[in-house]
Amino acid sequence: MFGVDMRQSLLARQQSLLARQQSLLARQQSLLARQQSLLARQQSLLARQQSLLARQQSLLARQQSLLARQQSLLARQQSLLARQQSLLAHQQSLLVRQQSLLARHQSRLAIRYSFYYLSY
């Protein structure tokens, strides 16, 4: 009878250890599922960050393109302004020349009329 009690005691102990191992296994499986869920969330966040980064890079490229276009337009405007200033300087030069010629002509006319009036 002592042998049967001992076997039953060992069997009960083995069943208890098995139940404990099953409980630990269930806990490990639960933790693994939680880790997999967290990993999936991190991967989702990473994908979102990569998408945002790609969008920012696209916007930056667009801004750089617009800046280059503005700089090109500014250079063109500066070139046109320099040309207008050159033309204005040329017009002013022509105006001074015309005024000089007019003054010369008026001076000659004044001299002619003065001789004309003095001769009478």
Side-chain angles (χ1 to χ4, degrees):
M1 181 123 181
F2 179 73
V4 174
D5 287 342
M6 195 164 187
R7 284 183 188 171
Q8 288 178 346
S9 174
L10 284 173
L11 181 60
R13 189 171 177 193
Q14 286 177 343
Q15 289 173 339
S16 173
L17 287 172
L18 178 60
R20 187 172 177 192
Q21 286 177 341
Q22 289 173 336
S23 174
L24 288 173
L25 179 60
R27 187 173 177 191
Q28 286 177 339
Q29 288 173 334
S30 174
L31 288 173
L32 179 60
R34 186 174 176 189
Q35 287 176 338
Q36 288 173 334
S37 174
L38 289 173
L39 179 59
R41 187 174 177 190
Q42 287 175 337
Q43 288 172 333
S44 174
L45 289 173
L46 179 59
R48 186 175 177 189
Q49 287 175 337
Q50 288 172 333
S51 173
L52 290 173
L53 179 59
R55 186 175 177 190
Q56 287 175 337
Q57 288 172 333
S58 174
L59 289 173
L60 178 59
R62 187 175 177 190
Q63 287 174 337
Q64 288 172 334
S65 174
L66 289 173
L67 178 59
R69 187 175 176 190
Q70 288 175 338
Q71 288 172 334
S72 174
L73 289 173
L74 178 59
R76 187 174 175 191
Q77 287 175 338
Q78 288 172 334
S79 174
L80 290 173
L81 178 59
R83 187 173 176 192
Q84 287 175 339
Q85 288 172 334
S86 175
L87 290 172
L88 179 59
H90 183 64
Q91 288 175 338
Q92 288 172 335
S93 173
L94 290 175
L95 180 59
V96 167
R97 187 173 176 195
Q98 286 176 342
Q99 288 172 338
S100 174
L101 289 173
L102 180 60
R104 217 165 125 193
H105 182 67
Q106 287 174 341
S107 174
R108 286 183 182 170
L109 282 178
I111 291 171
R112 280 188 189 173
Y113 282 117
S114 65
F115 281 128
Y116 177 74
Y117 283 116
L118 286 176
S119 64
Y120 284 107

